[in-house]
């Protein structure tokens, strides 16, 4: 049985640039790097960057969301904006979220909320066809 998300691996085209982005701008802890990759942690999440010259652009809603405390949200967003990090979507859901791209166009999000908060908001205003199981 699955017990949680183990890790994410993101293909990147310029490993040094991506290491700088994830370590210095996003503040993730770098644990190891090698010729074609790097390992980071973000809380309990293990993130792997893997060098891949064949990264292709795709357009869909797939994205990776990271938790941030509400008290850090505005400062973090300002830091991203000061570095001209591209925003890819405006937030339309419950809680504070900021959607942005990494240097390879991976769609990322910071979210100051929890699943419990999201479900409570959805119970107030459910999405079309939404059914709850609890």
């Amino acid at each position: 049985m699955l017990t949680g998300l183990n890790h994410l691996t993101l293909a990147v085209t310029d490993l040094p640039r991506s290491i700088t982005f994830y370590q210095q701008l996003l503040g993730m802890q770098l644990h190891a790097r090698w010729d074609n990759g790097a390992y980071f942690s973000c809380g309990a999440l293990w993130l792997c960057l893997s060098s891949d010259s064949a990264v292709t652009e795709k357009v869909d809603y797939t994205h990776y969301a990271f938790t941030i405390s509400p008290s850090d949200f505005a400062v973090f967003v300002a830091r991203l904006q000061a570095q001209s990090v591209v925003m890819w979507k405006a937030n339309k859901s419950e809680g504070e979220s900021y959607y942005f791209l990494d240097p390879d166009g991976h769609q990322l999000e910071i979210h100051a909320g929890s699943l419990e908060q999201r479900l409570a908001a959805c119970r107030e205003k459910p999405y079309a066809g939404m059914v709850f199981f609890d």
Side-chain angles (χ1 to χ4, degrees):
M1 173 176 254
L2 300 179
T3 59
L5 182 63
N6 185 273
H7 70 277
L8 296 176
T9 298
L10 300 178
V12 300
T13 57
D14 183 332
L15 185 61
R17 176 186 68 181
S18 293
I19 287 172
T20 298
F21 180 85
Y22 283 91
Q23 182 181 30
Q24 294 179 9
L25 187 59
L26 300 189
M28 292 187 187
Q29 184 176 354
L30 178 64
H31 292 279
R33 84 170 277 180
W34 59 98
D35 290 347
N36 295 314
Y39 288 138
F40 290 86
S41 64
C42 178
L45 175 69
W46 160 22
L47 176 72
C48 175
L49 301 180
S50 179
S51 187
D52 186 344
S53 61
V55 175
T56 59
E57 186 176 330
K58 62 183 178 100
V59 180
D60 64 27
Y61 189 59
T62 300
H63 67 282
Y64 310 100
F66 299 97
T67 301
I68 190 164
S69 70
S71 61
D72 292 334
F73 184 84
V75 170
F76 198 88
V77 169
R79 187 163 108 195
L80 295 175
Q81 292 171 334
Q83 293 296 313
S84 302
V85 172
V86 175
M87 185 175 92
W88 66 272
K89 177 185 181 302
N91 184 33
K92 296 178 184 173
S93 60
E94 163 278 327
E96 290 185 299
S97 283
Y98 189 77
Y99 299 85
F100 60 100
L101 300 177
D102 83 351
D104 284 287
H106 295 292
Q107 297 176 157
L108 307 177
E109 172 190 1
I110 55 169
H111 182 71
S114 66
L115 175 59
E116 292 77 18
Q117 291 168 320
R118 176 63 53 87
L119 290 172
C122 287
R123 287 182 195 285
E124 295 283 322
K125 188 176 178 185
Y127 305 146
M130 191 169 216
V131 177
F132 296 94
F133 303 94
D134 55 343

